[in-house]
Amino acid sequence: MIDFNIPPSVGTELEYMAKAIKNKKISGDGEFTKKCSQWMQERFQVNHAFLTTSCTHALEMGALLSQIQPGDEVILPSYTFVSTADAFVQRGAALVYVDIRPDTMNIDEKLIEDAITDKTKVIVPVHYAGVSCDMDTIMDIARRHHLLVVEDAAQGFCSTYKGKALGTIGDFGCFSFHETKNYSMGEGGAIVFNHDEYREKAEILREKGTNRSKFFRGQIDKYTWVDYGSSYLPSDLNAAYLWAQLEQERTIFNDRMASFDYYDKGLRSLADAGYLEQPYIPEDCTHNAHMYYIKLPTLEIRSELIAYLKAKDIQSVFHYIPLHSAPAGQRFGRFHGEDRYTTKESERLVRLPMYYQLTDEKKDIVIASIHDFFKK
Ligand SMILES: *Cc1c(COP(=O)(O)O)cnc(C)c1O
């Protein structure tokens, strides 16, 4: 059996989780939460980083910090995970879907400006597969129209655009540490941003509407309920699991990158012969090998390939059903302009097994099976 995903584990996770227990601090904002957020601040050159209970919750914080009001419009791709939309819909926003580029599967930056109305408040670029959207163009549009940018960098941890870490280019950046992502804590995420004016508000939102963070820093001698909020801070046990992986961030990165290159090489002749398409990485981007996908000529061939691989005990998966074709996606939003690529490209895409320490032997089997599929 070749699994599609195995959650990453580098071997020191249990040791650090035991340390959290010994610290008598397993709730939020303990030693390991601090280590992880400091790591992000230094590594990504960003002023503020808060671990959260998921990327979904980081996006919810992004929507709250953006002060989304009912009726505000949010521009996003339809080709994304539901959380990108949910966080804003919860605040009463109307979704405006914009088509994707077929080469990167990211929002087509050239179509964004036409979708802006006087109700537009936020643009949410999603860095699909850890490959950056065209952020220069998106930031330029956002600044000219006084819009905020919330980056869904769930898949983009440790990827860059023109040397800048994804998640740090817009006003807010959101990461995921779900077990299917490159670096994990089971369920978890983070929100990062540079503007100091959001810091206190973010702390309060994350701590149930209290100023407990200020209290812990000794800035006040009693903490109290000061605003609305929720519980967005993860257990330090989970942060300990993540810390083990951040310490070995390059090991995981290099391992996944080697797997990506291995697939790319092994499947190139099929791409050259026109049987399939391989991922495209624009020049300004360094990616993180979050996934290896291929695109088949048609939906039918994709279904056949997935079934063929399944019969050989190889798990491959497709996603996403575009949001604008889901019941909630229709209720909460509208597609601006023509759906030239979103549906068509999403139906052709399949993701191959990809995880930390995926062996060459297994990749050889996957590659050989795809070659065999096209031979018959
Ligand atoms: C995984 C993912 C999310 C959600 O992350 P969670 O941590 O599971 O909440 C959001 N957006 C995208 C693009 C994702 O891939």
Side-chain angles (χ1 to χ4, degrees):
M1 164 77 141
I2 303 180
D3 296 285
F4 170 68
N5 177 61
I6 294 176
S9 157
V10 293
T12 42
E13 286 87 354
L14 282 175
E15 185 190 314
Y16 291 149
M17 291 172 88
K19 176 85 195 313
I21 296 168
K22 238 169 124 188
N23 286 346
K24 304 192 187 72
K25 177 73 181 165
I26 59 171
S27 64
D29 283 340
E31 176 188 348
F32 293 101
T33 309
K34 286 187 188 124
K35 280 190 150 87
C36 291
S37 32
Q38 262 167 20
W39 188 95
M40 286 187 269
Q41 285 168 350
E42 282 162 26
R43 178 57 192 275
F44 299 155
Q45 295 290 298
V46 69
N47 292 340
H48 306 289
F50 293 97
L51 279 193
T52 58
T53 30
S54 65
C55 180
T56 306
H57 284 166
L59 288 159
E60 284 182 19
M61 282 183 68
L64 285 161
L65 291 168
S66 305
Q67 302 201 304
I68 293 288
Q69 303 298 318
D72 287 345
E73 290 182 355
V74 172
I75 294 176
L76 75 170
S78 171
Y79 183 71
T80 184
F81 188 59
V82 291
S83 299
T84 319
D86 263 332
F88 294 90
V89 161
Q90 271 191 359
R91 309 254 65 81
L95 307 172
V96 177
Y97 310 112
V98 166
D99 207 11
I100 53 167
R101 293 162 46 148
D103 56 356
T104 57
M105 306 296 283
N106 282 333
I107 190 165
D108 188 337
E109 67 281 356
K110 288 188 218 68
L111 303 176
I112 293 175
E113 197 147 18
D114 194 55
I116 294 172
T117 71
D118 49 13
K119 290 187 185 149
T120 309
K121 190 101 172 245
V122 173
I123 303 171
V124 192
V126 179
H127 305 298
Y128 184 69
V131 177
S132 182
C133 299
D134 183 334
M135 290 308 289
D136 275 357
T137 304
I138 292 173
M139 293 313 293
D140 174 61
I141 294 168
R143 294 300 170 245
R144 279 191 287 108
H145 293 271
H146 308 288
L147 306 175
L148 291 169
V149 173
V150 179
E151 295 178 67
D152 183 340
Q155 303 175 6
F157 198 74
C158 293
S159 295
T160 67
Y161 172 77
K162 297 194 175 174
K164 281 190 204 150
L166 298 195
T168 69
I169 303 163
D171 297 280
F172 303 102
C174 304
F175 299 118
S176 174
F177 303 118
H178 185 258
E179 71 169 21
T180 53
K181 302 303 201 285
N182 295 21
Y183 306 87
S184 183
M185 54 196 276
E187 299 276 359
I191 183 164
V192 299
F193 54 87
N194 278 310
H195 299 303
D196 295 336
E197 78 235 42
Y198 294 117
R199 174 186 166 166
E200 193 172 341
K201 178 86 177 155
E203 287 178 342
I204 290 166
L205 275 176
R206 187 166 163 271
E207 270 281 19
K208 301 106 186 161
T210 73
N211 54 2
R212 199 156 176 252
S213 302
K214 245 182 167 169
F215 170 72
F216 279 129
R217 281 199 300 275
Q219 290 170 321
I220 44 173
D221 50 18
K222 234 195 233 162
Y223 78 85
T224 186
W225 185 31
V226 291
D227 208 340
Y228 56 83
S230 189
S231 183
Y232 291 131
L233 71 171
S235 159
D236 213 49
L237 281 172
N238 296 55
Y241 191 99
L242 178 65
W243 175 246
Q245 294 175 31
L246 295 189
E247 259 195 338
Q248 298 189 43
E249 174 267 328
R250 277 296 106 172
T251 309
I252 294 179
F253 183 93
N254 292 334
D255 178 272
R256 295 186 74 110
M257 212 50 121
S259 282
F260 184 99
D261 293 340
Y262 201 92
Y263 274 134
D264 222 44
K265 222 169 129 198
L267 297 170
R268 183 140 322 135
S269 62
L270 291 174
D272 289 343
Y275 289 111
L276 53 82
E277 285 168 40
Q278 297 182 294
Y280 163 71
I281 316 291
E283 218 177 283
D284 294 329
C285 306
T286 64
H287 72 116
N288 59 0
H290 173 59
M291 66 171 87
Y292 194 87
Y293 67 79
I294 53 176
K295 287 199 265 178
L296 289 314
T298 63
L299 171 60
E300 198 184 5
I301 297 173
R302 179 181 77 176
S303 307
E304 281 172 24
L305 176 65
I306 292 173
Y308 185 82
L309 294 176
K310 192 171 170 220
K312 291 180 177 269
D313 254 359
I314 300 166
Q315 292 183 340
S316 64
V317 303
F318 67 83
H319 71 176
Y320 304 100
I321 306 294
L323 299 182
H324 74 286
S325 45
Q330 286 170 357
R331 181 145 43 102
F332 297 123
R334 63 183 167 82
F335 202 99
H336 180 84
E338 191 194 341
D339 170 10
R340 267 183 85 192
Y341 296 114
T342 300
T343 301
K344 194 173 122 213
E345 297 301 300
S346 71
E347 287 178 348
R348 307 201 295 127
L349 184 142
V350 59
R351 300 171 63 184
L352 304 182
M354 172 61 96
Y355 51 83
Y356 174 55
Q357 290 186 322
L358 174 61
T359 61
D360 287 353
E361 201 184 350
K362 289 196 163 123
K363 281 174 298 222
D364 282 336
I365 296 172
V366 176
I367 292 165
S369 302
I370 297 173
H371 279 270
D372 287 346
F373 172 79
F374 283 108
K375 250 178 233 147
K376 78 168 175 65

